[in-house]
Amino acid sequence: MLRFLGRFSYRLYIFALVVAVVIVAALALFRPITTAIHTAAFAAQVLPSPVQPQPWLASEPEHVAAEFPRYDGSTGTGDIYVIPDGKRRAGLVVFLGANAAGADDPDVVNLGRALARAGFAVMYYWSPTMGERAQVDAGEVANIVAAFEHLRRQEFVDPDRVGLAGFSVGASFALVAAADPRIADDIAFVNAFGGYYDTADLMVQIAAGRAIDNGGDVPWEVDRLTRRVYDNMLTPESESPAALALLEGTTSIAAARARYAELPEDFRAEVDSIAPSHHIDLWSANTVMRVMHDQGDPLIPVGESRRLVQALQQQRPDVSVYYTETDIFRHVRPDAATDLKSMLAGAFQLYRHMYHIVAVARQPAR
């Protein structure tokens, strides 16, 4: 009996070893399997989940403070998360936008580490004007371009696999930066989460307290942060009667549009310079656009992303675009109050959205 058990255990060991070898070989040969596993692990890491397997799948990322030259001659700063294994990885520049969470914010750190474990070299770019003072600074578009070029030059980055990602106002700035001729042909993808399509239209909606969607408009209770950024944009123009009227609010979208048209021309030109709607013809056909928005977003109405996607489909059919709507975020942060059923459905939506982004990171370096 003992000899039989010994032979049985030996055969079981050999069987388990063969199965393990087959699994490892399958994961190595069939990249979609590894992509699916890493995408699911990423979703579990960034959403409220009782199980977070990412640390089992990838090594501890390294956190490196970055400095780089900006086009105005000043020095830009950022934070890079990358696994220090000597491999060349896909790169990703992330811009969080106005009144952004800082480098020490737990969600920011968790996202950076999660993206690094998914296979990216991730660089956050920090804006002192937008991030710290809740201002909208058109000059930051060029700084995002400079950050992209800096990351692309790093020895641990594959220059053929570098993308941009933005959240909220940062999503729209990333889209505008993607149209810059200095980098437009080098961008693998843009992931825009919770951004706006047209800056002037967003200001009009804030003034009226109504959101444009599906050809009409609906009541919108404007979030305090959105109002603060809006006030910061208009206050320097407060000598203009039109700006004062917009700050006080209007009764309708039409009334807000009429008052906006009376603002100084140079102000309106600067507003248009940070609107994705004015750059749609400049994006490279080789750049994949992935757009995401929460249906109940209180800061930027979901209709903005819907109009962006519609414009892409109609005006730029040569550009690949993928759109996801969820209801598990509050603007761009996971909503801890979401019920389990909705969270599971939202997790699957996030998984589908992120799969092709993670696939870029899982490709071998050239």
Side-chain angles (χ1 to χ4, degrees):
M1 174 65 73
L2 291 176
R3 184 177 299 173
F4 171 77
L5 289 175
R7 288 198 302 268
F8 178 77
S9 298
Y10 176 75
R11 290 171 181 172
L12 184 61
Y13 169 77
I14 294 298
F15 175 76
L17 182 61
V18 170
V19 169
V21 170
V22 170
I23 291 174
V24 171
L27 292 177
L29 294 174
F30 299 100
R31 196 173 301 119
I33 298 176
T34 60
T35 300
I37 291 172
H38 280 278
T39 306
F42 171 83
Q45 189 69 33
V46 298
L47 296 176
S49 171
V51 180
Q52 296 182 330
Q54 259 204 331
W56 310 337
L57 302 174
S59 304
E60 183 75 12
E62 182 180 46
H63 174 207
V64 181
E67 291 187 346
F68 62 94
R70 305 197 303 190
Y71 285 103
D72 62 2
S74 63
T75 299
T77 60
D79 284 272
I80 295 176
Y81 291 86
V82 62
I83 294 177
D85 56 5
K87 296 180 180 179
R88 298 177 78 193
R89 300 177 174 275
L92 180 62
V93 174
V94 180
F95 186 52
L96 299 180
N99 199 41
D104 297 330
D105 183 274
D107 286 342
V108 170
V109 174
N110 183 53
L111 176 62
R113 291 163 62 87
L115 286 167
R117 282 193 163 117
F120 286 101
V122 185
M123 177 178 171
Y124 286 105
Y125 166 60
W126 304 114
S127 165
T129 52
M130 293 181 64
E132 298 173 10
R133 298 195 285 271
Q135 295 178 342
V136 173
D137 182 356
E140 289 298 355
V141 173
N143 295 332
I144 296 171
V145 172
F148 180 91
E149 292 177 321
H150 173 77
L151 182 63
R152 195 166 178 261
R153 288 192 297 265
Q154 302 310 300
E155 60 181 10
F156 49 80
V157 172
D158 179 356
D160 295 326
R161 295 183 295 143
V162 185
L164 289 171
F167 294 78
S168 188
V169 172
S172 301
F173 270 61
L175 288 165
V176 174
D180 191 292
R182 290 169 290 198
I183 63 171
D185 291 333
D186 301 321
I187 301 173
F189 66 88
V190 178
N191 189 47
F193 186 7
Y196 60 81
Y197 172 58
D198 187 274
T199 327
D201 274 353
L202 180 61
M203 295 181 71
V204 163
Q205 293 170 81
I206 295 168
R210 302 189 67 83
I212 300 170
D213 198 12
N214 295 322
D217 59 89
V218 295
W220 172 31
E221 185 176 346
V222 182
D223 186 88
R224 285 182 297 176
L225 175 56
T226 302
R227 177 70 64 178
R228 179 185 172 195
V229 175
Y230 169 80
D231 288 350
N232 286 343
M233 289 181 69
L234 279 173
T235 298
E237 306 297 325
S238 58
E239 292 183 4
S240 162
L244 286 173
L246 289 170
L247 285 166
E248 293 172 359
T250 65
T251 57
S252 68
I253 293 287
R257 285 196 196 282
R259 301 304 283 174
Y260 180 85
E262 297 170 3
L263 290 172
E265 184 177 354
D266 58 344
F267 175 82
R268 289 184 284 116
E270 183 169 328
V271 167
D272 289 344
S273 74
I274 54 171
S277 59
H278 286 260
H279 296 81
I280 197 166
D281 292 333
L282 302 176
W283 292 325
S284 170
N286 297 322
T287 300
V288 176
M289 297 294 181
R290 304 192 74 82
V291 183
M292 190 173 181
H293 215 115
D294 194 67
Q295 294 171 356
D297 190 335
L299 275 78
I300 297 178
V302 66
E304 289 298 293
S305 284
R306 290 173 180 170
R307 292 197 297 143
L308 167 63
V309 172
Q310 184 179 37
L312 267 168
Q313 292 171 339
Q314 293 176 352
Q315 300 175 38
R316 292 298 306 276
D318 57 321
V319 174
S320 296
V321 58
Y322 186 90
Y323 180 51
T324 300
E325 282 188 16
T326 76
D327 61 357
I328 61 169
F329 293 87
R330 190 186 184 280
H331 191 39
V332 295
R333 290 183 186 257
D335 188 349
T338 305
D339 63 88
L340 179 59
K341 182 179 179 181
S342 297
M343 183 61 72
L344 289 174
F348 180 66
Q349 290 171 322
L350 179 63
Y351 167 86
R352 288 196 307 174
H353 183 89
M354 289 298 300
Y355 177 86
H356 292 285
I357 295 175
V358 175
V360 175
R362 305 315 303 179
Q363 294 173 8
R366 297 177 182 177

